[in-house]
Amino acid sequence: MAGQDEAWLISTGRAAMTLALEAMKLTARDPRRVEVAIPGYTCYSVPAAVERAGLIPRLCDIDPGSLSIDLTSLGKIDFSRVLGIVSANLYGLPNALPDIEAMAREHGVFMLDDAAQALGASMLGRAVGGYGDVGLFSFDKGKNITSLQGGALVASAGSLADSIHSASAALPAASMVRTMTTILKLPAYSLLLRPALYGIIRRLPIGLGLTPYETDYPIEQFSWALAGVVSRQLERLEQIGAGRVRNAERLSAVLDGLVGLQPVRILPGASPVYPRFPVLAAPADRDELVSSLDAAGIGATASYPSALIEVPEVARRLPHDQAPTPGACQVARRIVTLPTHAYCPPGYEVTIRNIAVQVLA
Ligand SMILES: *Cc1c(COP(=O)(O)O)cnc(C)c1O
């Protein structure tokens, strides 16, 4: 999978990330390497997995133009305390993966290519998730394909893979109750994806659209029943991806050049997959834009509400010499993500454009 030799299915992406980081610790055998370099704006499950693995997050800034890791900020880190670097590839947009991989090699640290949102994307012809030492995929809500929960790791053969293999084989079996609950939720979830319902449902207290920081998740094997759901969708991955890319291209065409909206730059060599389509608005317009789109039945979101440096659970664990991450803070205040899934009605991009023109006027 993703050009790597071996793959493991784990209960969730965050559980898989915890396992991968613990395997890095065992393989490196260097007690000074207690930090993991992670992007300043990414899913809160990433710093949570770092904490769960008994490690310390070291934030590096992101470039607001491309949402990729800012290489200057990454280069300034003291790598003597770093165990590994984690990419983000948010919204299926490939980060500067060849540069991040080169920097990891140069400093003798691991790289985890987080493709939780980027299954099917590639960079210079190589699958995202296939860069670095280990790749991560998620089948949670809102990912490219979903069984509501699930994760996978890929790695090339070697001592890190051996360590992941032993840890994965020793995991407890999937909880029957959790698996059944998830299976029962699946039909309801596919209904909720319809944008008109999504806006309403997002306000109900069922956890959809929320961004919690939690570290007490189960770390188990993936259930065979859910793996069946994933494998049926994997067969249609190209088709699902092509539909999302088509919607993203339509959005890009109508929103391009609109005063007050800034498109996110796609890096040279990148083929994105767009589980969502991100754009940047001025902080003063952002919330009104999201609520106006929501009111019109378009499931727009402001994505993760804060840069990690502003999340209290993360902030209290940062190293004392953590540098500021202004790029990540800017993105948190400006980003709007738009839906690209198969239920988006024909012409929805024009509705979005008209609303944007009104709000930004
Ligand atoms: C969703 C996500 C994860 C965690 O995956 P789960 O399956 O939800 O635990 C990790 N990284 C990124 C970038 C994600 O979007």
Side-chain angles (χ1 to χ4, degrees):
M1 197 179 174
Q4 296 281 38
D5 304 319
E6 299 186 46
W8 302 267
L9 288 168
I10 318 279
S11 50
T12 57
R14 50 201 181 277
M17 187 171 286
T18 311
L19 202 103
L21 294 173
E22 283 172 346
M24 288 176 187
K25 231 171 22 174
L26 285 174
T27 310
R29 292 167 187 262
D30 183 347
R32 286 171 312 161
R33 298 193 181 274
V34 291
E35 293 179 6
V36 182
I38 65 174
Y41 188 75
T42 188
C43 178
Y44 296 2
S45 296
V46 175
V50 171
E51 173 169 355
R52 181 73 182 267
L55 295 160
I56 297 165
R58 164 73 64 175
L59 304 180
C60 82
D61 205 8
I62 64 167
D63 164 24
S66 66
L67 306 183
S68 183
I69 289 179
D70 179 76
L71 295 168
T72 312
S73 165
L74 184 61
K76 283 186 187 151
I77 290 176
D78 170 8
F79 278 95
S80 67
R81 287 180 288 175
V82 172
L83 180 64
I85 307 171
V86 178
S87 62
N89 307 298
L90 295 187
Y91 323 112
L93 310 188
N95 289 166
L97 299 172
D99 301 293
I100 299 167
E101 188 181 61
M103 195 151 331
R105 292 234 167 98
E106 181 193 331
H107 292 284
V109 302
F110 292 109
M111 173 185 170
L112 188 158
D113 191 11
D114 183 347
Q117 300 185 18
L119 176 64
S122 65
M123 181 61 165
L124 297 173
R126 257 170 86 190
V128 176
Y131 279 81
D133 303 279
V134 51
L136 176 109
F137 298 94
S138 164
F139 312 118
D140 206 84
K141 302 176 284 286
K143 312 296 178 169
N144 300 24
I145 64 176
T146 182
S147 55
L148 285 189
Q149 62 171 53
L153 292 175
V154 295
S156 51
S159 49
L160 183 64
D162 293 344
S163 176
I164 294 172
H165 195 78
S166 328
S168 155
L171 289 180
S175 139
M176 189 66 99
V177 174
R178 261 192 295 275
T179 303
M180 287 309 296
T181 317
T182 305
I183 287 173
L184 291 173
K185 282 183 193 159
L186 272 168
Y189 178 73
S190 65
L191 205 69
L192 297 189
L193 270 183
R194 291 164 204 270
L197 289 175
Y198 185 79
I200 301 164
I201 300 297
R202 204 146 53 86
R203 286 177 207 102
L204 299 178
I206 57 167
L208 199 67
L210 287 182
T211 312
Y213 182 96
E214 54 152 33
T215 53
D216 60 350
Y217 44 83
I219 303 180
E220 301 173 338
Q221 294 170 15
F222 193 36
S223 92
W224 286 107
L226 293 180
V229 175
V230 167
S231 93
R232 275 194 297 283
Q233 291 181 59
L234 270 178
E235 286 164 18
R236 295 196 301 122
L237 179 64
E238 273 188 34
Q239 196 189 328
I240 295 171
R244 289 187 184 279
V245 168
R246 252 191 325 272
N247 279 336
E249 281 166 355
R250 289 191 183 114
L251 287 167
S252 175
V254 296
L255 299 178
D256 199 31
L258 214 68
V259 177
L261 271 196
Q262 184 190 322
V264 175
R265 191 165 52 86
I266 306 303
L267 296 177
S271 297
V273 282
Y274 295 109
R276 315 260 321 153
F277 182 84
V279 285
L280 299 170
D285 297 328
R286 199 271 302 269
D287 292 346
E288 192 192 341
L289 186 56
V290 171
S291 57
S292 303
L293 288 167
D294 236 21
I298 308 274
T301 76
S303 199
Y304 308 115
S306 305
L308 294 179
I309 205 162
E310 295 166 332
V311 176
E313 293 93 333
V314 180
R316 65 176 157 75
R317 304 198 70 249
L318 292 172
H320 61 89
D321 58 346
Q322 170 66 54
T325 60
C329 295
Q330 195 194 119
V331 169
R333 284 191 279 275
R334 297 185 55 199
I335 195 160
V336 178
T337 77
L338 302 168
T340 56
H341 54 71
Y343 294 116
C344 294
Y348 83 115
E349 72 276 12
V350 180
T351 313
I352 292 175
R353 186 197 149 89
N354 293 343
I355 292 168
V357 169
Q358 264 170 32
V359 171
L360 302 172

